[in-house]
Amino acid sequence: MRFLVCLTLLLTSQAWALVPPYYGKSKTEYRFASEAEVGLSYYNGNTNTEAYNTRLKVAMDTDKTHQEVVFSSNYAEDSNVTSAEEYQLQLQSNLKMWSDHYLFMRGTQIFDRFGSYRSETTLSSGYGTNLISRRFTSLSFEMGPGYRLQTPPDDSDTSEINEPIIRTALKYERRIHERTRFNAGLELETGLQNTTAVFDTSLTNQLWDDLALKLGFYYRYSAVVDTDKTNFDTHSTLNLLYTF
């Protein structure tokens, strides 16, 4: 209920206010960027509950490289009993080869106490390209080989999945106007034993200076899960975002 109330306020608010400080400035003025979020998540899938979430993103861009680290968490208690607990860490390093082309190395670690897999570790590398690179619109594509380890829940009869994969990803960003940004990402990891897909989208609106409201949706699908688990997990989020 709290989530629906907050969502209504976001969509009906007339306070879509000030121009963000970075709008209209050249990219060279913003080589280092970081943002922190805190808010509410609504879970559906293996867990159906409301949770508190946090997210921290740090990015560093140079003429030759781009480094990015993202950490997020979701946690909830119901009558002093934990009903949601998830942590994600993503690290990626890009080496710029020539205009709009790069090589990447990427590592992800997911721990989800109530998910279809208790933990998942993925390492991948490959080639990326910027298919669209304009002032207000960007679209990138990545593809390469990797390796994935998926650990089932403690009470599961299934063994670990330990296999090579092929990872493909699309990342899209559109600045709708000076204070509103839309992001979407689609990621597919294909292996012989299991295939996972992630769809992540968000709408961010700047309020005052470095403060913004962010509405997000996250969908994760696993083709092979235990019989008592669902193939998908979704999070709907409403966060306050601070850029620094």
Side-chain angles (χ1 to χ4, degrees), residues 133-149:
S133 185
R134 300 173 185 164
R135 185 180 180 189
F136 298 129
T137 306
S138 65
L139 175 66
S140 65
F141 171 78
E142 296 177 356
M143 185 173 185
Y147 207 83
R148 179 179 60 205
L149 171 63

Side-chain angles (χ1 to χ4, degrees), residues 28 31 61-66 95-97:
T28 55
R31 310 287 278 180
D61 191 73
T62 69
D63 292 336
K64 295 295 184 181
T65 63
H66 179 83
L95 176 62
K96 301 174 184 178
M97 303 301 293

Side-chain angles (χ1 to χ4, degrees), residues 30-233:
Y30 289 89
R31 310 287 278 180
F32 176 83
S34 56
E35 55 188 38
E37 301 176 33
V38 61
L40 291 174
S41 300
Y42 179 74
Y43 269 71
N44 186 29
N46 288 294
T47 304
N48 296 282
T49 187
E50 288 184 4
Y52 297 100
N53 78 84
T54 59
R55 181 177 178 271
L56 176 65
K57 176 181 176 181
V58 179
M60 173 66 76
D61 191 73
T62 69
D63 292 336
K64 295 295 184 181
T65 63
H66 179 83
Q67 322 290 339
E68 191 169 291
V69 179
V70 181
F71 174 78
S72 61
S73 68
N74 288 270
Y75 185 82
E77 283 189 359
D78 187 7
S79 302
N80 296 322
V81 176
T82 302
S83 55
E85 185 177 7
E86 180 187 7
Y87 307 98
Q88 292 195 28
L89 177 65
Q90 302 174 1
L91 303 96
Q92 181 160 336
S93 178
N94 297 345
L95 176 62
K96 301 174 184 178
M97 303 301 293
W98 56 91
S99 178
D100 293 326
H101 301 271
Y102 59 91
L103 299 177
F104 73 88
M105 293 187 65
R106 180 180 176 86
T108 63
Q109 176 66 57
I110 302 174
F111 171 82
D112 190 352
R113 183 174 171 184
F114 300 95
S116 52
Y117 289 91
R118 180 168 54 86
S119 70
E120 182 175 312
T121 305
T122 306
L123 298 174
S124 61
S125 62
Y127 163 79
T129 180
N130 297 313
L131 300 174
I132 300 174
S133 185
R134 300 173 185 164
R135 185 180 180 189
F136 298 129
T137 306
S138 65
L139 175 66
S140 65
F141 171 78
E142 296 177 356
M143 185 173 185
Y147 207 83
R148 179 179 60 205
L149 171 63
Q150 292 177 303
T151 305
D154 294 332
D155 56 354
S156 172
D157 295 330
T158 338
S159 57
E160 290 184 342
I161 294 180
N162 198 346
E163 63 174 344
I165 59 168
I166 295 295
R167 175 184 175 270
T168 55
L170 281 171
K171 301 175 184 179
Y172 175 77
E173 179 176 311
R174 170 67 179 174
R175 192 167 297 279
I176 299 172
H177 52 72
E178 66 269 17
R179 58 183 183 268
T180 306
R181 183 178 78 246
F182 174 77
N183 290 81
L186 179 62
E187 186 173 324
L188 183 67
E189 295 178 355
T190 306
L192 294 176
Q193 301 179 62
N194 198 3
T195 295
T196 62
V198 173
F199 176 67
D200 191 3
T201 184
S202 65
L203 182 68
T204 305
N205 187 81
Q206 211 74 20
L207 295 178
W208 303 280
D209 293 333
D210 298 324
L211 189 66
L213 279 173
K214 181 178 176 182
L215 177 66
F217 177 77
Y218 175 92
Y219 177 91
R220 180 177 181 82
Y221 171 84
S222 293
V224 178
V225 297
D226 280 354
T227 53
D228 61 338
K229 296 289 185 178
T230 64
N231 294 91
F232 70 92
D233 282 294

